[in-house]
Amino acid sequence: LFKTVEYIKDAALLNARYEELGVVMTVVGRNAGYTKEQMEEASKGIQAMGITMLESRQAVVKLVDAQIDLSQAQRLARVAQDAAVIGQTNSSEAFGRMVYAIQSGSVIMLRHLGINVSFEQAYRKMADELGVTTSSLSEHQKMLARVNAVLEDGEKKLGIYEEAMTTAAKQLRSMERYTQDFKTVFGETFNDVMYAAVIGLTEYLKESNKEINTLSSSGTLKEWGISIGNTLAFVADAVMATAIPFQVLGRTIAMVA
């Protein structure tokens, strides 16, 4: 029974997180000029590439935050599939690390996923195409250059994911995604119940905080503290007074012996 309750709790929390990310995704997208439908479509496209429901929404937010065109979302997710096999992780983890590496310009992080690129070369290539110097490239242009470099390297590794899916090890790592997605969907059953419970607990805590602040302002809490301290001191003195005779008796017996 305890394990069942724990499973339901985890499922409800996963679904609540998924719902929350939906709100975040919509707001971030709106601020960047994307509609809710466009953000959701991008999320579904990434999910179709073997990324968990949660990570798909997080990924879309990360892409927009990094100013990476959402039209590249599925292509990047496809690269992440192959990179996950090389990096011995799952596609969701690989995608998150890859997007962060592109955003931060971390070549080392990409190499851990088997993606070997030189961003300096990518900048020079873009500068040559635009007929400018690398120093005059904007941050957005540099971001595009990093994305293109990762996609180009990914082309060299196409097919690794499909071949790896014939092995037990890769199937086991993929099973984690199916398990989490099932729990996320299953958790929707208890979302309303959890929401009501959280709201109820929040209101109770608010009222409790008001009451405790009132007691503090009136000095009642301080009086309680002094009273409890005096009681504990009395108990400690009593214990010491009781212990002393036994200590004396013990020493006497030891001397006689």
Side-chain angles (χ1 to χ4, degrees), residues 16-30:
R17 179 61 179 152
Y18 181 71
E19 183 181 45
E20 182 183 17
L21 281 171
V23 174
V24 173
M25 189 174 70
T26 299
V27 174
V28 169
R30 183 171 64 238

Side-chain angles (χ1 to χ4, degrees), residues 146-161:
R146 294 197 292 271
V147 171
N148 291 337
V150 170
L151 291 174
E152 287 175 12
D153 186 78
E155 292 291 329
K156 304 172 186 176
K157 301 174 177 65
L158 284 176
I160 292 178
Y161 174 79

Side-chain angles (χ1 to χ4, degrees), residues 32-208:
Y34 291 102
T35 65
K36 179 180 180 180
E37 290 71 26
Q38 287 175 314
M39 296 291 283
E40 192 62 44
E41 182 181 355
S43 174
K44 293 295 183 183
I46 293 173
Q47 187 182 333
M49 292 290 104
I51 313 298
T52 65
M53 294 170 65
L54 280 174
E55 183 60 37
S56 294
R57 286 189 166 181
Q58 287 178 325
V60 172
V61 173
K62 291 174 184 176
L63 288 173
V64 173
D65 185 54
Q67 297 182 6
I68 298 175
D69 194 332
L70 285 185
S71 63
Q72 305 286 13
Q74 279 188 272
R75 291 184 65 194
L76 287 169
R78 180 66 188 84
V79 173
Q81 286 183 320
D82 295 320
V85 180
I86 298 172
Q88 289 295 288
T89 184
N90 58 59
S91 300
S92 300
E93 175 69 18
F95 189 87
R97 286 160 58 184
M98 188 177 72
V99 171
Y100 178 79
I102 293 173
Q103 183 180 20
S104 61
S106 175
V107 173
I108 294 177
M109 185 176 289
L110 289 172
R111 285 176 183 166
H112 287 314
L113 293 171
I115 301 173
N116 298 297
V117 295
S118 168
F119 287 148
E120 291 303 320
Q121 289 181 5
Y123 299 153
R124 285 195 294 271
K125 181 179 179 181
M126 175 160 281
D128 289 342
E129 291 174 354
L130 297 175
V132 298
T133 62
T134 55
S135 60
S136 63
L137 290 175
S138 67
E139 287 302 316
H140 180 63
Q141 289 171 328
K142 288 182 178 180
M143 177 67 72
L144 290 177
R146 294 197 292 271
V147 171
N148 291 337
V150 170
L151 291 174
E152 287 175 12
D153 186 78
E155 292 291 329
K156 304 172 186 176
K157 301 174 177 65
L158 284 176
I160 292 178
Y161 174 79
E162 286 78 9
E163 289 295 324
M165 286 302 289
T166 63
T167 67
K170 178 55 182 169
Q171 286 287 350
L172 281 172
R173 290 198 298 273
S174 294
M175 192 182 295
E176 296 174 9
R177 167 171 61 92
Y178 295 122
T179 302
Q180 186 186 107
D181 283 352
F182 177 83
K183 289 176 72 173
T184 301
V185 175
F186 179 68
E188 186 176 1
T189 308
F190 310 97
N191 205 334
D192 290 341
V193 174
M194 187 174 72
Y195 178 79
V198 170
I199 290 298
L201 178 60
T202 301
E203 290 302 318
Y204 171 78
L205 290 174
K206 285 180 180 178
E207 291 301 317
S208 297

